[in-house]
Amino acid sequence: MNFQDHLKKDGQKKLLALDGGGIRGVITLEVLAKIEDILRKRQGKSQLVLADYFDYIAGTSTGAIIATCLSLGMSVKAVQKFYIRSGPAMFDRAGLLRRFRYKFEDEKLSEKLRNVIGADTTFGSEKVRTLLMIVLRNATTDSPWPISNNPGAKYAINQELPLWQLVRASTAAPTYFPPELVRVKDRKGKEKDFLFVDGGVTMYNNPAFQLFLMATVPPYNLCWKAGLNDMLLVSVGTGTSPKANANLQPGEMNLVYNAMAIPSALMLAALNEQDFLCRVFGDCRHGDSLDREIGDMMGQAGPTSAKLFTYLRYNAELTREGLDTLGLPDVVPENVQMLDSVDHIKDLANVGEAVAGKVKPEHFDGF
């Protein structure tokens, strides 16, 4: 199958949304490996890949890399090998003078993406086996760009863009990597250069609810049927690391503190909001507690008379308390919280395995 086949297919639709989070995508991959294993056993197909099951896959930043690889028909094991072998090379430290602008060079990252995706593979290529949504931030226009290979989309003209370059743009985390310059056509075919950075610095570092909207609302020209038994939305995170500071003093909240704290605080809030919206409008079969007030929303009614989809959320809290809850007392929180923790991939994999232990076959019943 390719993405055109998913467009023509009748019946239930299955969506997969993957958060951003740098090398912490290793956590996501462990969860996806468990999902793939469950689906292979349920369907009796030992070679099944997630592109055979999911109709629409979305990702932001590192989630965009994984989503693209899966959409191209790669097994989760193959993507894991790519991350373990290529992760350290992708985080190639910039020279001293350039570190005032960004921490890492982008040449090796771009090379790795061209190799795994294909230098000539376009966004609209038939090599892409599912519908695919990638989140970028257009720094030139100061706007989020969730883009899709849906041929019926308003700006389908940009399906001829190199897929690897769009993924590279989605991973261009400010201060970590330089921005990506992409030449884009408008609907009249006129070309214009835009600078793109990581989609994680938008409201869609967790792209789950936006994916649901792009699959169902009329302006996106898919209009898939929403309903509890008609649509499954699976959302996988890369871990959260809220940094509580009980001893924080007013005088410590200076320009430097705010410059460092506000972006992560906004990203965490946006991530939780996307998750919360999915639990309100969808029927949440699995998900950890969001906070002490609303809990996990499982079994809770929303403002609509019926739930619009079935929802699964898998994630981890990378604090000391969260890691202890996962049974990982030997994992140091600081070693797994950073986006560039390439020296601690084994610890990240252990976190992912613990989260994967929460994935149960019955979560997928009916789909």
Side-chain angles (χ1 to χ4, degrees), residues 167-182:
V167 175
R168 157 70 184 99
S170 182
T171 63
T175 76
Y176 282 87
F177 291 103
E180 182 75 10
L181 183 68
V182 182

Side-chain angles (χ1 to χ4, degrees), residues 134-146:
I134 297 172
V135 182
L136 324 172
R137 177 177 174 269
N138 189 327
T140 305
T141 62
D142 192 25
S143 57
W145 275 35

Side-chain angles (χ1 to χ4, degrees), residues 310-349:
T310 296
Y311 178 63
L312 301 169
R313 173 67 174 174
Y314 305 105
N315 204 12
E317 184 178 301
L318 305 177
T319 61
R320 179 70 278 152
E321 181 181 358
L323 293 170
D324 288 345
T325 300
L326 288 172
L328 299 169
D330 296 330
V331 175
V332 178
E334 291 75 16
N335 290 348
V336 292
Q337 290 176 347
M338 302 301 293
L339 302 182
D340 56 346
S341 296
V342 292
D343 294 330
H344 303 284
I345 286 179
K346 185 172 177 27
D347 285 338
L348 290 168

Side-chain angles (χ1 to χ4, degrees), residues 165-340:
Q165 190 179 32
L166 297 175
V167 175
R168 157 70 184 99
S170 182
T171 63
T175 76
Y176 282 87
F177 291 103
E180 182 75 10
L181 183 68
V182 182
R183 180 158 293 176
V184 178
K185 288 182 179 180
D186 63 21
R187 298 187 73 192
K188 296 180 180 179
K190 185 178 180 181
E191 293 185 334
K192 185 174 181 179
D193 290 336
F194 292 103
L195 282 175
F196 288 94
V197 295
D198 195 326
V201 290
T202 69
M203 285 293 292
Y204 313 122
N205 190 53
N206 171 356
F209 196 69
Q210 178 64 20
L211 174 60
F212 165 71
L213 295 176
M214 292 179 72
T216 57
V217 300
Y220 294 109
N221 294 321
L222 273 181
C223 300
W224 285 351
K225 183 181 179 181
L228 183 64
N229 299 312
D230 298 300
M231 183 170 287
L232 172 68
L233 174 53
V234 180
S235 175
V236 187
T238 62
T240 62
S241 52
K243 295 178 174 60
N245 185 353
N247 300 313
L248 183 65
Q249 299 297 314
E252 296 175 322
M253 298 186 67
N254 51 36
L255 287 173
V256 174
Y257 171 87
N258 286 319
M260 295 177 63
I262 288 176
S264 62
L266 292 175
M267 287 175 67
L268 179 62
L271 180 151
N272 281 337
E273 184 70 4
Q274 288 276 311
D275 191 4
F276 185 33
L277 287 169
C278 287
R279 298 182 195 221
V280 169
F281 292 98
D283 178 45
C284 184
R285 288 186 177 179
H286 177 82
D288 294 333
S289 177
L290 286 173
D291 62 41
R292 293 186 180 92
E293 183 172 14
I294 62 174
D296 58 25
M297 289 294 293
M298 284 193 282
Q300 297 293 317
T304 55
S305 59
K307 294 289 188 174
L308 301 178
F309 52 92
T310 296
Y311 178 63
L312 301 169
R313 173 67 174 174
Y314 305 105
N315 204 12
E317 184 178 301
L318 305 177
T319 61
R320 179 70 278 152
E321 181 181 358
L323 293 170
D324 288 345
T325 300
L326 288 172
L328 299 169
D330 296 330
V331 175
V332 178
E334 291 75 16
N335 290 348
V336 292
Q337 290 176 347
M338 302 301 293
L339 302 182
D340 56 346

Side-chain angles (χ1 to χ4, degrees), residues 38-58:
I38 287 173
L39 296 175
R40 285 177 172 180
K41 290 176 180 176
R42 285 172 69 99
Q43 298 192 17
K45 298 177 181 178
S46 62
Q47 300 302 312
L48 177 144
V49 293
L50 295 183
D52 298 323
Y53 181 78
F54 289 101
D55 300 289
Y56 205 162
I57 303 179

Side-chain angles (χ1 to χ4, degrees), residues 116-132:
V116 73
I117 295 171
D120 298 325
T121 303
T122 61
F123 196 28
S125 170
E126 290 194 357
K127 294 179 183 177
V128 183
R129 293 174 54 179
T130 74
L131 282 173
L132 175 64

